[in-house]
Amino acid sequence: QSLESELERVMGQFQETRSRMRHLARGRAERFRQVWIVNEEEAKALIREALDADRIIHLQQLGIPWEEPSLWFMDNVGPLGGRQEKRDAMQVAAQLLEGGI
């Protein structure tokens, strides 16, 4: 009985720790995304300034027509790549121990 109660206590601690880790990971991911978006906005503003300068140079200094380049990434908001969530080592280990993989 003491071993069973000890096992229950340890499993409870494990579940609580895993829950805390997931919560922290979500918080860190959200902060990363927020910082990314701020930096992305600054980069896009600099790109727009460079494109304006390029347009002025083409039209006024060189006297040739200017075509805006295709910049697909200017429409993007947030980190590039899929929304596929990556599992951390603890999740993989827990699933292996539980026989879930």
Side-chain angles (χ1 to χ4, degrees), residues 26-94:
R26 278 188 224 110
R28 279 188 246 129
E30 182 57 31
R31 280 193 299 266
F32 171 80
R33 181 172 166 72
Q34 289 170 352
V35 169
W36 181 288
I37 289 172
V38 167
N39 289 336
E40 186 177 57
E41 289 171 0
E42 291 177 14
K44 286 178 182 179
L46 292 172
I47 291 169
R48 284 187 202 96
E49 285 182 33
L51 287 174
D52 286 342
D54 187 49
R55 181 180 53 78
I56 291 169
I57 291 170
H58 271 75
L59 296 175
Q60 294 180 1
Q61 299 296 318
L62 301 175
I64 57 176
W66 181 78
E67 292 182 25
E68 186 170 349
S70 173
L71 302 174
W72 58 268
F73 57 87
M74 293 291 277
D75 296 329
N76 185 65
V77 176
L80 296 176
R83 292 274 178 221
Q84 191 174 352
E85 290 186 25
K86 297 179 182 176
R87 298 181 296 177
D88 63 9
M90 288 300 291
Q91 289 173 323
V92 171

